């Protein structure tokens, strides 16, 4: 028998791996393959954005001008803070500080919820101004209905991003309950590490969404 | 039970590096927002995307540990971006050349 099988904690080492190290590297690699797929999944949305903005750049500038840059920038900083606390959570697991792990996971969840609350305020503001695409859509100024495509992209892309955040928060609760029951240690923290990669990926998507939606119309002068 | 040596073989990044990366990301966010108010014409897009790519690199290299990982991980990440660029390139080369043969565009711009 392999000595690793007898010395490692049997509950954490799946039978197809020789060692915890091999198991961890395999899990991390699998997570990166998943993220590569996610890049192409969001890539389809970025492709559509590129195409429609190339087709009618003025409508995109006019639409962007109506977004509140203060909300956008605050949310970017909130997500960066949540990425930092997530990186610290992984580090706490690596160094076997489980109380700190719990604290950093809670902080990450707090920033994630803050982001979604700000997004909710923005969405309801768009709803009240009839900027949601559909039969009630109305956009004042020379662009008129041409701006609708900008808001379609805005809701599709920020909505898909927000859905990823909501799924992430669900996973975070699952990790938190595991951490509170002593499931993770410096020997075994694969789920924490892989979730961290997912969370940072979602942060990166927002790093591109913020300028592409909030920053392209700042010096728009209202004329096509 | 708790053996002191790290079993994962993972590099443990000093807290100071995480703090510096966090501050750099926050500064770049403020910078990209400030630049958006200056009219640089088409170069606004260039500056905006350059800052976003720089921020992405910092997150990927340090927060996602790619700087300390095996070579296989960056291969997967760069591979995904290459396929993304192929999608952008081929799709745009279709739409941007549709009017070239004088038949009129099948997808007119407003």
């Amino acid at each position: 028998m392999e000595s690793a099988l007898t010395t490692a904690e049997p509950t954490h080492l799946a039978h197809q791996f020789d060692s915890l190290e091999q198991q961890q590297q395999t899990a991390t690699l699998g997570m990166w393959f998943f993220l590569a797929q996610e890049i192409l999944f969001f890539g389809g949305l970025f492709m559509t954005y590129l195409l429609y903005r190339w087709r009618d750049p003025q409508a995109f500038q006019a639409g962007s001008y109506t977004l509140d840059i203060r909300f956008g920038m605050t949310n970017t900083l909130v997500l960066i803070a949540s990425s930092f606390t997530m990186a610290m959570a992984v580090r706490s697991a690596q160094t076997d500080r489980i109380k700190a792990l719990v604290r950093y996971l809670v902080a990450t969840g707090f920033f994630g919820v803050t982001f979604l609350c700000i997004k909710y305020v923005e969405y309801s503001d768009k709803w009240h101004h009839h900027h949601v695409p559909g039969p009630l859509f109305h956009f004042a100024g020379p662009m008129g209905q041409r701006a609708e495509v900008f808001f379609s992209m805005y809701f599709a892309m920020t909505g898909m991003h927000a859905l990823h955040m909501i799924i992430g928060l669900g996973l975070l609760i699952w990790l938190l309950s595991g951490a509170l029951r002593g499931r993770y240690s410096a020997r075994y923290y694969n789920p924490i590490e892989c979730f961290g990669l997912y969370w940072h990926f979602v942060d990166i998507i927002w790093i591109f969404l913020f300028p592409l939606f909030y920053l392209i119309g700042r010096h728009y002068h209202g004329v096509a | 039970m708790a053996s002191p040596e790290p079993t994962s073989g993972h590099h443990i990044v000093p807290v100071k590096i995480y703090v510096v990366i966090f501050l750099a990301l926050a500064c770049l966010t403020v910078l990209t927002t400030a630049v958006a108010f200056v009219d640089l014409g088409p170069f606004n897009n260039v500056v905006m995307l350059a800052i976003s790519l720089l921020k992405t690199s910092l997150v990927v290299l340090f927060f996602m540990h790619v700087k300390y990982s095996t070579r296989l991980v960056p291969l997967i990440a760069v591979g995904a971006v290459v396929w993304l660029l192929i999608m952008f390139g081929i799709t745009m080369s279709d739409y941007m050349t549709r009017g070239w043969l004088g038949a009129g565009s099948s997808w007119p711009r407003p």
Side-chain angles (χ1 to χ4, degrees):
Chain A
M1 282 296 275
E2 295 270 352
S3 64
L5 285 176
T6 50
T7 54
E9 288 173 63
T11 49
H12 295 146
L13 184 65
H15 66 89
Q16 68 268 36
F17 298 109
D18 287 339
S19 65
L20 283 170
E21 185 181 350
Q22 189 200 22
Q23 176 173 270
Q24 170 138 24
Q25 283 180 355
T26 309
T28 306
L29 201 61
M31 196 62 203
W32 274 97
F33 272 112
F34 171 71
L35 294 184
Q37 175 276 132
E38 284 274 84
I39 289 173
L40 290 167
F41 170 72
F42 273 99
L45 287 167
F46 280 104
M47 178 69 249
T48 315
Y49 171 95
L50 175 65
L51 199 55
Y52 279 103
R53 189 175 157 198
W54 166 75
R55 188 181 184 222
D56 196 358
Q58 280 100 13
F60 270 66
Q61 286 192 333
S64 170
Y65 191 72
T66 65
L67 297 183
D68 194 327
I69 199 168
R70 291 166 300 176
F71 285 137
M73 193 174 124
T74 308
N75 256 351
T76 309
L77 294 173
V78 165
L79 269 198
I80 286 170
S82 83
S83 256
F84 169 75
T85 54
M86 192 59 225
M88 289 302 293
V90 174
R91 192 184 185 280
S92 305
Q94 285 175 327
T95 52
D96 218 15
R97 286 174 211 152
I98 302 308
K99 274 185 184 162
L101 167 66
V102 168
R103 277 202 303 273
Y104 281 119
L105 287 178
V106 169
T108 306
F110 170 78
F111 287 125
V113 170
T114 306
F115 177 93
L116 287 175
C117 288
I118 293 175
K119 209 77 217 132
Y120 171 76
V121 172
E122 285 188 274
Y123 277 4
S124 57
D125 185 58
K126 292 281 157 272
W127 178 263
H128 290 307
H129 285 91
H130 294 283
H131 285 172
V132 179
L136 294 177
F137 182 81
H138 176 75
F139 194 78
M143 282 303 143
Q145 300 304 106
R146 272 167 70 186
E148 194 171 11
V149 67
F150 170 83
F151 289 98
S152 295
M153 292 315 301
Y154 169 76
F155 281 104
M157 295 180 82
T158 60
M160 190 52 75
H161 177 268
L163 181 64
H164 275 74
M165 297 280 301
I166 292 166
I167 292 168
L169 287 171
L171 292 169
L172 196 60
I173 291 169
W174 170 64
L175 289 179
L176 200 55
S177 74
L180 286 170
R181 282 183 283 117
R183 186 159 176 245
Y184 307 112
S185 65
R187 292 176 62 77
Y188 175 73
Y189 59 93
N190 279 352
I192 310 276
E193 166 104 14
C194 289
F195 174 77
L197 292 176
Y198 173 83
W199 195 258
H200 296 311
F201 166 81
V202 175
D203 182 23
I204 288 171
I205 293 296
W206 185 261
I207 284 176
F208 285 93
L209 293 186
F210 168 59
L212 289 178
F213 283 107
Y214 291 84
L215 299 183
I216 60 170
R218 284 306 116 189
H219 36 265
Y220 173 71
H221 303 302
V223 187
Chain B
M1 177 177 150
S3 58
E5 97 279 16
T7 46
S8 65
H10 262 224
H11 183 93
I12 293 170
V13 183
V15 175
K16 206 170 97 182
I17 288 186
Y18 284 147
V19 173
V20 167
I21 296 301
F22 167 70
L23 292 175
L25 289 170
C27 289
L28 286 169
T29 301
V30 175
L31 179 68
T32 192
T33 309
V35 171
F37 286 93
V38 184
D39 194 347
L40 302 172
F43 285 99
N44 274 109
N45 289 315
V46 178
V47 174
M48 201 172 84
L49 285 178
I51 292 177
S52 288
L53 286 171
L54 179 60
K55 286 166 77 179
T56 300
S57 309
L58 293 177
V59 173
V60 167
L61 286 175
F62 295 97
F63 284 174
M64 296 172 92
H65 300 153
V66 167
K67 191 180 191 301
Y68 314 101
S69 70
T70 58
R71 300 289 291 276
L72 209 48
V73 170
L75 186 70
I76 296 168
V78 171
V81 173
V82 168
W83 283 106
L84 193 64
L85 293 177
I86 291 172
M87 176 163 71
F88 288 173
I90 292 179
T91 309
M92 289 316 285
S93 70
D94 170 7
Y95 280 93
M96 291 174 90
T97 56
R98 283 190 180 192
W100 284 14
L101 294 176
S105 175
S106 58
W107 199 53
R109 299 166 80 167

